[in-house]
Amino acid sequence: MAYDRVLADEIRHALAGEDGLSEKHMFGGLSFLVGGNLAVAVRDDGLLVRVGADAAEELARTTAAGRAVMGARTMAGWLDVPAAAVATEAELSAWVRRGVGFARSLPAK
């Protein structure tokens, strides 16, 4: 699986101390789960962030993120965030926090 290992380490740093954190290879990269729910995944071209359908629509209009597409299917509530949009620690942290916030809003698995 191809993914940016440096970006994965930066995500680990951003998630340090997060309760219920686990990692799993999926979606063509390395996914970070909170309470068993995917929050963010690092792939070779940036991030996949789960934010929920309502937030995804707004964020796709107002940020560099776009709706995530897997195969022929657009994934409701998921965004592809290009690597250039998470170039700083603050930008990365904001996207990671969005993903963690949504994952925490779901029942733990």
Side-chain angles (χ1 to χ4, degrees):
M1 277 179 201
Y3 64 89
D4 183 331
R5 294 181 190 284
V6 172
L7 186 54
D9 285 341
E10 291 171 353
I11 292 170
R12 283 185 191 100
H13 177 73
L15 291 170
E18 192 71 46
D19 290 334
L21 179 66
S22 60
E23 297 179 17
K24 186 175 185 178
H25 289 278
M26 55 195 287
F27 297 119
L30 182 63
S31 297
F32 295 85
L33 297 87
V34 176
N37 295 298
L38 189 139
V40 62
V42 60
R43 301 191 296 183
D44 63 342
D45 55 351
L47 302 181
L48 174 68
V49 182
R50 189 173 184 195
V51 296
D54 293 338
E57 189 170 320
E58 175 70 17
L59 289 166
R61 278 195 319 268
T62 60
T63 70
R67 295 193 177 261
V69 177
M70 292 185 197
R73 183 174 172 214
T74 300
M75 305 296 292
W78 301 72
L79 294 172
D80 280 322
V81 181
V86 292
T88 69
E89 185 176 341
E91 291 168 332
L92 177 62
S93 180
W95 282 107
V96 169
R97 292 289 129 217
R98 285 179 180 115
V100 168
F102 185 76
R104 290 244 178 255
S105 75
L106 301 171
K109 294 182 180 178

